[in-house]
Amino acid sequence: MAAPSQDLMSTMVSLCKRRGFIFQSSEIYGGLNSCWDYGPLGVELKRNVKEAWWRAMVHSRRDIVGLDASILMHPKVWEASGHLAGFTDPLVDCKECKERFRADHLENLKKCPKCGGQLTEVRKFNLMFKTFMGPVEDASATVFMRPETAQGIFVNFLNVQQAARLKPPFGIAQIGKSFRNEITPGNFTYRTREFEQMEMEFFVPPAEDLRWYNYWKKMRFDWYVSCGIKPENLRLRDHSKDELAHYAKACCDVEYNFPFGWSELEGIANRTDFDLRQHTEHSGKSLAFFDEESKQHYFPYVIEPAAGADRAALAFLVDSYAVEGEGKDARTVLRLHPAIAPIKVAVLPLVKRDGMPEKAEKIFADLLKNSVRSFYDHTSSIGRRYARQDEAGTPYCVTIDSQTLADDTVTIRERDSRAQYRVASGAVVAAVTEKLKAAIQ
Ligand code: ATP
């Protein structure tokens, strides 16, 4: 039975808090609007999302390398990229209730949708966070918190290309924090002011842009499916001409059917040679690539798949959530893909006596030694422990019971089918690592 969608977000928020996925930032002080902290299960889930992305985008390929650029960059970067002049949202305030809205989200620009009060004229609002570098707080010390990770890649284009001896088509990938002073943050972790991006800039000969744009659209859609998202909850949506950013020739969003409607998970854009040319012009240093074969310089075109780690993590949580069964058999389960699940195996001695904890401890230690993210739990009834693991999305439970003492076998219980079967206690690590390997490849 699927959960009714109108309640799903509030159900997710309370499950995330109860189980230690996500807490409100600074909660004891009343929280800080749109800021969230990832708890013990959440931090593992988000790390898994980022690792799955890095594996697909960098480690499994020969044509993409990684980068970790700093958050603070030379202010001229944002002049060149267009963020200082153009990274704005149109904004109106209600003169009565003081609520603030994005003008492009309103149908009626005269009347407040909340209280009916009069709205101000539309104003432009720059989304970049400003701060000062060094002890003097004047205009010459102003720096910005990056609003996207992409610019760190563009300004390093030649450094990376020359150091790694690469030739287009090739890509540079980066995962890191970005900051946007969003006017309307909300929908839990979907739109926040501090978030993590997973971006890759793929540099191609200009004539090959369309081929690579189509290639990355498909690859990125398929990645979400390979990590467990139901294909019927995903779609690709091409931007119309008037939606395109000034630098883009084409753009397409991977959208997810969130409980609050179809919304962007990731954007795939053909940024042309806009960024490399802009930085060349503003810095006075050419970022053109020298092609040894033709002995000519040229500016590659850029295809950019830009995803959000927090939005992806939220989609994985929502998509995996299910309430199953009736009455005594009812359970809440997160059917997370094993690559994404925070804990892979829970080790559960049936009772805290008769040598069961010792057997369980040994299996637990073996799993840890083999780098299988595991959890040991000997509290409360076995039914309650299974329920807790189902709600945490743990794909496998290993139970040590009285039969273990007789024949040295244990039960493996699978989360999704609730199937149970016995294996020799010495074979647990091999059995679960094989299953995980098969699921994760
Ligand atoms: P939106 O239209 O939702 O504001 P965008 O088109 O401005 O997003 P991009 O600039 O394309 O977003 O950024 C790439 C990705 O970074 C987005 O697809 C999203 O996953 C993530 N992202 C962007 N802004 C936020 C935010 N405020 N909170 C969380 N994730 C974000």
Side-chain angles (χ1 to χ4, degrees):
M1 178 176 67
S5 71
Q6 67 273 24
D7 298 334
L8 190 50
M9 283 312 285
S10 45
T11 307
M12 270 341 281
V13 175
S14 53
L15 185 149
C16 282
K17 177 172 180 191
R18 191 172 72 248
R19 296 312 321 268
F21 279 98
I22 301 170
F23 308 121
Q24 198 179 11
S25 159
S26 326
E27 193 190 58
I28 58 168
Y29 289 100
L32 181 64
N33 189 15
S34 104
C35 295
W36 300 94
D37 298 340
Y38 288 81
L41 290 184
V43 68
E44 298 295 337
L45 176 101
K46 196 160 100 162
R47 279 175 67 119
N48 291 341
V49 170
K50 291 185 283 183
E51 268 165 32
W53 185 88
W54 198 260
R55 205 163 41 239
M57 302 298 273
V58 183
H59 285 178
S60 68
R61 305 182 61 106
R62 60 186 73 191
D63 55 355
I64 302 181
V65 293
L67 179 75
D68 187 7
S70 68
I71 287 173
L72 301 176
M73 301 180 72
H74 196 292
K76 279 196 154 179
V77 167
W78 309 113
E79 236 175 84
S81 68
H83 283 87
L84 261 183
F87 191 53
T88 54
D89 275 346
L91 171 77
V92 288
D93 290 306
C94 173
K95 290 181 180 168
E96 312 296 324
C97 71
K98 311 294 178 208
E99 189 85 8
R100 183 166 274 192
F101 304 95
R102 263 174 70 167
D104 53 337
H105 286 176
L106 296 183
E107 274 176 22
N108 183 347
L109 281 176
K110 297 268 173 280
K111 213 165 118 191
C112 170
K114 205 169 151 201
C115 74
Q118 206 190 350
L119 297 174
T120 61
E121 288 298 303
V122 177
R123 290 183 291 125
K124 291 281 188 185
F125 176 78
N126 193 290
L127 298 182
M128 279 201 293
F129 275 97
K130 229 188 238 179
T131 188
F132 300 100
M133 197 140 152
V136 184
E137 299 194 357
D138 67 9
S140 65
T142 302
V143 288
F144 300 93
M145 315 274 275
R146 69 179 175 201
E148 62 177 28
T149 58
Q151 297 304 325
I153 298 179
F154 295 128
V155 298
N156 276 300
F157 167 67
L158 277 191
N159 284 341
V160 174
Q161 181 270 318
Q162 286 164 3
R165 295 187 297 121
L166 294 159
K167 178 178 176 341
F170 75 90
I172 305 176
Q174 176 165 223
I175 298 178
K177 288 254 176 164
S178 292
F179 301 82
R180 293 182 190 178
N181 201 1
E182 298 274 7
I183 296 163
T184 49
N187 285 327
F188 198 19
T189 53
Y190 178 81
R191 186 180 302 285
T192 54
R193 294 189 169 118
E194 171 183 344
F195 53 95
E196 244 174 316
Q197 289 189 305
M198 308 186 289
E199 297 196 294
M200 195 276 291
E201 309 303 322
F202 202 71
F203 301 91
V204 304
E208 294 178 21
D209 66 337
L210 185 61
R211 177 163 85 78
W212 285 108
Y213 175 63
N214 289 330
Y215 169 87
W216 282 111
K217 271 166 65 169
K218 178 169 172 10
M219 287 298 277
R220 296 305 305 148
F221 184 96
D222 291 350
W223 179 78
Y224 289 98
V225 176
S226 74
C227 292
I229 300 263
K230 298 178 195 82
E232 64 269 28
N233 286 336
L234 278 176
R235 71 177 185 196
L236 285 168
R237 189 184 66 80
D238 289 313
H239 283 208
S240 60
K241 278 267 175 292
D242 55 341
E243 259 183 288
L244 289 179
H246 60 284
Y247 52 77
K249 182 170 159 189
C251 189
C252 175
D253 289 343
V254 181
E255 293 189 334
Y256 179 73
N257 190 10
F258 282 100
F260 44 86
W262 286 96
S263 309
E264 173 179 339
L265 258 188
E266 164 161 359
I268 296 122
N270 179 349
R271 293 181 77 127
T272 68
D273 55 4
F274 174 82
D275 303 271
L276 294 179
R277 280 189 188 275
Q278 285 292 105
H279 287 302
T280 296
E281 204 175 290
H282 283 73
S283 69
K285 308 249 162 50
S286 176
L287 289 180
F289 167 76
F290 180 68
D291 185 6
E292 295 283 354
E293 269 167 50
S294 65
K295 302 283 179 228
Q296 283 191 338
H297 281 94
Y298 74 88
F299 288 101
Y301 269 33
V302 174
I303 309 301
E304 172 195 76
D310 308 272
R311 278 191 194 174
L314 182 60
F316 287 122
L317 280 168
V318 170
D319 204 68
S320 67
Y321 177 84
V323 179
E324 297 172 351
E326 306 264 319
K328 238 171 60 149
D329 268 350
R331 68 164 180 167
T332 300
V333 57
L334 294 185
R335 292 170 164 272
L336 289 167
H337 187 281
I340 303 296
I343 301 168
K344 314 298 182 198
V345 184
V347 181
L348 314 172
L350 193 62
V351 291
K352 271 192 271 180
R353 54 182 152 74
D354 302 336
M356 290 185 211
E358 290 75 9
K359 275 264 169 221
E361 283 283 359
K362 187 175 173 321
I363 294 171
F364 182 50
D366 273 356
L367 286 163
L368 295 185
K369 209 162 69 195
N370 284 277
S371 307
V372 181
R373 183 83 196 118
S374 306
F375 181 76
Y376 184 92
D377 188 5
H378 59 208
T379 57
S380 70
S381 74
I382 192 70
R384 299 246 327 244
R385 280 182 273 166
Y386 282 151
R388 279 206 290 266
Q389 293 308 318
D390 285 345
E391 227 184 26
T394 307
Y396 305 108
C397 288
V398 174
T399 311
I400 293 85
D401 53 23
S402 49
Q403 199 179 322
T404 311
L405 307 175
D407 65 6
D408 204 27
T409 63
V410 298
T411 300
I412 294 184
R413 174 202 186 252
E414 301 207 344
R415 175 196 66 203
D416 294 346
S417 62
R418 293 196 243 194
Q420 300 195 6
Y421 44 86
R422 299 195 76 87
V423 302
S425 72
V428 168
V429 174
V432 295
T433 46
E434 208 158 289
K435 278 179 177 295
L436 288 169
K437 222 165 137 194
I440 291 170
Q441 281 320 301

